[in-house]
Amino acid sequence: MGGPALTPEAQADLVRRAQAVLRANDRGTFTQPAPGQYPHQWNWDSALIALGLAHFDLERALLEIRSLLQGQWRDGMVPHIVYHGGPSGYFPNAEFWQTERSPAAPALPTSGLTQPPILATIVRQLHERHSVPGFVREVLPALLAWHRWLHTTRAADETRLPCLVHPWESGTDDSPRWRRALDRVQPADLPAYLRGDTAHVAGAERPHDHDYDRFVYLIDQFRRRAYGPPAMLAQSPFLVQDVLFSSILHRADEDLSALMRAVAVPAEEVETWLATVREQFSRRFWDETAGLFFDYDVRAGQALRVTTAMTFAPLYGGLCSSRQAHRLIDEHWSNPAEFAPGAALRYAVTTTSHGEAAWEPRRYWRGPVWINYNWLMLEGLRRYGFERQADELRASSLALIARAGFREYYDPRDGAGCGAHDFAWSAALALELLSAPSGG
Ligand code: DGY
């Protein structure tokens, strides 16, 4: 899949260009995911950016993480956007959130939602590569408070799986897995608003207006309730448990526990979350007939039966049995009617199954290839011993970047770049992929 291996010269050129993107997007204390389109600091972007920065500027990588944690709420939530950098054309702007209504909000302007908690995993990688015990001790309380908030304040039942109240919290905003849950949201009294995202990127590559209205409506509902977590859990019309988010959190809990042990801090609380989620995960998400993990609509009390690449995330989280892993790979990953490259797809992994009616190969999370998701999948495939598939995916990811540059996402049919240009996590993860052994 995806073309010939890169020559050493082409690899060295990619490294130079990736570092140049990270330098150009650097605003001193934080990194913009993409100039113009995303002018502030985003949560999981900044964690992945720190991983890339550490390849050539460790101190700057640690500063990226410190800057993100400045936005942490008093109750533990690490928000999905920290509005470093002052006013911009981004919608929703800092004022739109009205976070000052919440007693838990920090002085710094932030959003009122969270995002996939990959940060502890990145901190562990930095510590194992560069030995930064002082930094680990510094950030541990913040990481622990965030994970505790996810497993308690945001947990609605005995599974301890966090509930998401907004598709933006999933990081995969307009994924078709949310369609049925979003369709139920009726945006009466929608506040007047003007989209900012389509000023920089073609509307055909961004979420549909139907989804955007609901994104904005949900924020309005939460600010009216002053972001009180009990009210959000009890009343949010959108309430889901997410296979991807939960897998990322589980892996991050493993990494948090390892970090705590590394600096001699007791980790029993984290071990309890790990044990509970290991026991509950498949009961909640696995569908034995389909051989797939499906997200769960907590509000409706039923599975969201849509086939997206997020079904493979439990490989990354270490949350499937070997039998489940083989079913995922043999029946779905390798199936050209769903995910495997073939006549219709040249590049993996399409984020929505090619067989889904909602598949749109150039629209945001409806089908394009994302480098962050490929990186997660590489880790997951290797964790379960699927080395050939991992090598192919690494080569295909690098071929895409070499062909189309550091784009936000890519059309799986022809590899065309889509979304924002000079996208920071694509650059950061290119550095990571190029430093990893084997493949193309
Ligand atoms: C956006 O603006 O599209 C982001 O995904 C929201 O976080």
Side-chain angles (χ1 to χ4, degrees):
M1 79 172 83
L6 298 181
T7 62
E9 293 72 28
Q11 295 193 26
D13 181 52
L14 265 193
V15 167
R16 270 192 301 277
R17 286 165 45 213
Q19 291 189 4
V21 166
L22 291 177
R23 289 290 189 210
N25 293 12
D26 185 354
R27 292 295 169 273
T29 55
F30 76 100
T31 304
Q32 296 178 333
Q37 182 77 339
Y38 304 111
H40 305 288
Q41 189 180 33
W42 266 257
N43 184 327
W44 68 331
D45 293 73
S46 70
L48 296 173
I49 287 165
L51 187 65
L53 283 170
H55 283 281
F56 60 100
D57 190 343
L58 177 63
E59 277 313 310
R60 182 62 189 78
L62 303 186
L63 179 59
E64 188 71 28
I65 294 170
R66 289 190 175 104
S67 298
L68 176 69
L69 292 176
Q70 278 179 0
Q72 184 165 35
W73 285 36
R74 287 181 200 97
D75 60 4
M77 180 179 80
V78 179
H80 102 289
I81 305 173
V82 184
Y83 283 86
H84 290 299
S88 73
Y90 180 75
F91 175 84
N93 61 19
E95 291 70 39
F96 188 84
W97 293 92
Q98 300 174 6
T99 52
E100 67 282 358
R101 290 181 182 219
S102 165
L108 211 60
T110 74
S111 72
L113 304 169
T114 194
Q115 235 180 3
I118 202 163
L119 186 58
T121 297
I122 303 304
V123 172
R124 181 179 181 189
Q125 298 216 4
L126 298 189
H127 179 53
E128 288 188 346
R129 289 174 190 177
H130 304 283
S131 181
V132 285
F135 180 74
V136 170
R137 275 190 211 95
E138 175 191 330
V139 299
L140 260 188
L143 293 172
L144 184 60
W146 184 20
H147 287 215
R148 184 182 293 129
W149 180 85
L150 289 167
H151 283 297
T152 56
T153 308
R154 273 299 187 85
D157 56 34
E158 73 293 346
T159 64
R160 293 271 156 246
L161 295 164
C163 293
L164 309 190
V165 296
H166 193 294
W168 284 355
E169 294 197 311
S170 75
T172 63
D173 309 2
D174 68 338
S175 170
R177 62 207 181 113
W178 308 137
R179 248 185 25 173
R180 213 173 58 222
L182 263 191
D183 281 350
R184 252 201 346 265
V185 176
Q186 288 307 316
D189 293 336
L190 184 66
Y193 76 97
L194 202 58
R195 287 180 70 159
D197 58 319
T198 46
H200 300 278
V201 170
E205 296 176 8
R206 292 290 306 173
H208 291 279
D209 284 341
H210 168 276
D211 292 349
Y212 229 87
D213 280 353
R214 283 155 180 81
F215 298 159
V216 172
Y217 172 76
L218 287 169
I219 297 171
D220 187 46
Q221 293 301 303
F222 303 147
R223 64 187 186 178
R224 286 170 194 239
R225 288 167 179 78
Y227 298 99
M232 284 162 83
L233 273 192
Q235 293 165 23
S236 173
F238 180 91
L239 197 72
V240 299
Q241 288 166 334
D242 173 351
V243 169
L244 172 63
F245 193 104
S246 303
S247 300
I248 288 176
L249 177 58
H250 189 75
R251 165 74 193 271
D253 280 339
E254 291 177 341
D255 295 321
L256 184 58
S257 171
L259 284 169
M260 292 169 89
R261 281 182 273 112
V263 296
V265 171
E268 283 81 14
E269 185 181 8
V270 183
E271 291 297 329
T272 308
W273 302 328
L274 283 165
T276 307
V277 169
R278 259 195 306 271
E279 193 187 313
Q280 298 288 342
F281 190 89
S282 281
R283 278 188 212 154
R284 174 56 29 109
F285 295 130
W286 176 249
D287 184 306
E288 179 61 24
T289 309
L292 291 164
F293 290 96
F294 289 125
D295 305 290
Y296 186 72
D297 185 339
V298 178
R299 203 44 90 225
Q302 60 191 23
L304 292 162
R305 298 177 54 84
V306 179
T307 308
T308 71
M310 312 314 145
T311 196
F312 304 116
L315 297 165
Y316 169 83
L319 280 160
C320 35
S321 65
S322 159
R323 190 182 71 83
Q324 288 169 325
H326 277 279
R327 286 200 66 189
L328 288 174
I329 298 301
D330 298 346
E331 296 173 26
H332 304 288
W333 181 273
S334 312
N335 179 355
E338 295 184 10
F339 295 98
L345 307 174
R346 274 187 63 208
Y347 295 91
V349 52
T350 180
T351 41
T352 295
S353 161
H354 168 237
E356 282 288 344
W359 185 72
E360 292 185 78
R362 295 180 74 89
R363 193 184 295 280
Y364 216 43
W365 288 93
R366 288 279 164 104
V369 175
W370 285 72
I371 297 300
N372 70 322
Y373 200 68
N374 278 11
W375 177 76
L376 291 177
M377 285 302 91
L378 274 177
E379 298 263 312
L381 290 166
R382 294 208 197 283
R383 187 168 184 162
Y384 281 81
F386 296 104
E387 293 296 330
R388 179 182 57 78
Q389 290 87 342
D391 286 347
E392 285 170 1
L393 187 61
R394 175 179 176 274
S396 166
S397 306
L398 286 169
L400 268 180
I401 296 170
R403 182 188 181 286
F406 304 103
R407 297 298 297 270
E408 190 176 5
Y409 38 95
Y410 303 84
D411 187 326
R413 298 167 303 181
D414 59 3
C418 305
H421 291 257
D422 297 328
F423 199 67
W425 81 25
S426 299
L429 293 173
L431 295 176
E432 190 63 20
L433 292 175
L434 287 165
S435 75
S438 105

